[in-house]
Amino acid sequence: METTAIITTEQLLKHWQGHRQVTRKLIEKFPEQDLFNFTIGGMRPFSEMAMELLSIAVPSLKEFTSDTPGTYQHLEGISTKQQILDLWDKSTEEINQYWTQIKPERFQEMFNLFGMYNSTIMDSVFYFIENEVHHRGQGYVYLRALGIEPPFFWERD
Amino acid sequence: METTAIITTEQLLKHWQGHRQVTRKLIEKFPEQDLFNFTIGGMRPFSEMAMELLSIAVPSLKEFTSDTPGTYQHLEGISTKQQILDLWDKSTEEINQYWTQIKPERFQEMFNLFGMYNSTIMDSVFYFIENEVHHRGQGYVYLRALGIEPPFFWERD
């Protein structure tokens, strides 16, 4: 589809990584115990939400670039904040690497992500970003309930 | 910028309106009293967040289409859930009308929204959507804390 681009793939990557920086700051703000234990209304602790985000990001890009649907596997076996932050930083690098292998024309193609979510790659990328913003918004409430000032929503670097 | 479009303006509008449908469902789920009074950690009740979203959406598009920065004015004077839902539906129609007046090539142009936020129109639209997802995520925690099942994140119609 040749037309006027309202956003480029490079801009979209930068936008996503900007959000990931905010989420990283949020993880850092949590006291270690609360990251793994604090919850409201029967929801998951923020550590579990962060692990979901990590379980989605790089594995999805690997599926797109190999053009092979796999299965969703929730990352486990993490018990410290530093481990999550290390995984976060490793994912940041891997996202940059895999992203450049996705040709712009593929964003409008259908792909059955995790063998379950059949949509365009663009819609899946929207999902990655917005699912992160959604859960991070929940993390903001956790921090506020703990009396901790969250990072600014608009500080993306 | 002529290139391969990874998303069209029509798709972006549909995407935003899909999110607005989820937010509308969330507003509907709140008991009237809780919509205006329930808070966690000193945050705003969800009615105030919804009014912020309404104060941003159509006024922003009016600025873009008239090419004239204005000032942010927070909508006030609302005291019932039905009033918010009515404003929501009115905005839904107005967003559709104004959106079609924004030419695709303008999304990469800078615009000083509300005379304060100088970024590309694309980045501002990302902000509208993600600010909504962010606050709605907070609304999900409020509902869970109230023992109410929120709408599904992925049901966009």
Side-chain angles (χ1 to χ4, degrees):
Chain A
M1 180 168 18
E2 290 291 321
T3 181
T4 301
I6 59 175
I7 186 168
T8 66
T9 56
E10 293 77 12
Q11 289 170 338
L12 186 57
L13 171 63
K14 189 178 171 210
H15 185 77
W16 185 16
Q17 293 284 29
H19 273 300
R20 294 186 70 261
Q21 281 305 308
V22 182
T23 308
R24 192 187 193 284
K25 286 181 195 168
L26 192 87
I27 296 167
E28 283 188 302
K29 291 264 186 183
F30 270 90
E32 184 101 20
Q33 283 291 324
D34 295 317
L35 181 60
F36 289 90
N37 297 303
F38 184 79
T39 69
I40 292 176
M43 299 179 76
R44 294 173 293 174
F46 196 71
S47 58
E48 274 302 304
M49 299 184 189
M51 293 305 280
E52 176 189 304
L53 301 175
L54 288 167
S55 304
I56 289 174
V58 172
S60 295
L61 299 190
K62 282 184 181 171
E63 290 195 12
F64 295 155
T65 54
S66 67
D67 205 15
T68 310
T71 52
Y72 176 79
Q73 293 189 298
H74 190 76
L75 285 170
E76 289 175 350
I78 301 298
S79 56
T80 69
K81 177 156 75 170
Q82 192 58 50
Q83 285 176 311
I84 296 179
L85 291 173
D86 289 346
L87 281 176
W88 202 264
D89 295 338
K90 184 162 171 273
S91 286
T92 301
E93 294 305 315
E94 292 184 342
I95 288 168
N96 286 338
Q97 288 166 24
Y98 284 106
W99 186 270
T100 57
Q101 299 172 32
I102 309 171
K103 293 202 177 82
E105 55 267 30
R106 289 203 64 208
F107 282 79
Q108 291 279 333
E109 290 177 9
M110 299 294 284
F111 185 86
N112 194 28
L113 185 63
F114 298 130
M116 285 180 65
Y117 306 106
N118 198 28
S119 65
T120 64
I121 287 181
M122 182 67 218
D123 275 344
S124 287
V125 172
F126 260 137
Y127 187 86
F128 306 157
I129 297 171
E130 293 164 350
N131 183 54
E132 176 161 348
V133 173
H134 172 72
H135 287 311
R136 193 179 60 212
Q138 297 171 340
Y140 272 61
V141 185
Y142 286 10
L143 281 187
R144 289 284 185 195
L146 289 164
I148 298 166
E149 183 90 18
F152 292 118
F153 180 71
W154 56 86
E155 277 194 349
R156 306 284 168 83
D157 47 29
Chain B
M1 182 168 16
E2 292 290 323
T3 181
T4 302
I6 59 175
I7 186 167
T8 66
T9 56
E10 292 78 12
Q11 289 170 339
L12 187 56
L13 171 63
K14 188 179 171 212
H15 185 77
W16 185 15
Q17 293 284 30
H19 273 299
R20 294 186 70 260
Q21 282 305 307
V22 182
T23 308
R24 192 186 193 286
K25 286 181 194 167
L26 192 86
I27 296 167
E28 283 188 301
K29 292 263 186 184
F30 270 92
E32 184 100 18
Q33 282 291 324
D34 295 318
L35 181 60
F36 289 91
N37 296 303
F38 185 79
T39 69
I40 293 175
M43 299 178 76
R44 294 173 293 174
F46 196 71
S47 58
E48 274 302 303
M49 299 184 189
M51 293 304 282
E52 176 189 303
L53 302 175
L54 288 167
S55 304
I56 288 173
V58 172
S60 295
L61 298 191
K62 282 185 181 171
E63 290 194 11
F64 295 155
T65 54
S66 67
D67 205 15
T68 309
T71 52
Y72 176 79
Q73 293 189 297
H74 190 75
L75 286 169
E76 289 176 350
I78 301 298
S79 56
T80 70
K81 177 157 74 170
Q82 192 56 51
Q83 285 176 312
I84 296 178
L85 291 173
D86 289 346
L87 281 176
W88 202 264
D89 294 339
K90 184 161 171 274
S91 286
T92 301
E93 295 304 316
E94 292 184 342
I95 288 167
N96 286 338
Q97 287 167 25
Y98 283 107
W99 186 269
T100 57
Q101 299 173 32
I102 309 172
K103 294 202 177 82
E105 56 266 30
R106 289 204 64 206
F107 282 79
Q108 291 280 332
E109 290 177 10
M110 299 295 283
F111 185 86
N112 194 27
L113 185 63
F114 299 129
M116 283 179 66
Y117 305 106
N118 199 26
S119 65
T120 64
I121 288 181
M122 183 67 218
D123 275 344
S124 287
V125 171
F126 261 137
Y127 187 87
F128 306 158
I129 296 172
E130 294 163 350
N131 183 54
E132 176 161 348
V133 173
H134 172 72
H135 287 310
R136 192 178 62 213
Q138 297 172 339
Y140 273 61
V141 186
Y142 287 9
L143 282 186
R144 288 283 184 198
L146 289 164
I148 297 167
E149 182 90 18
F152 292 117
F153 180 71
W154 56 85
E155 277 195 348
R156 306 284 167 85
D157 47 27

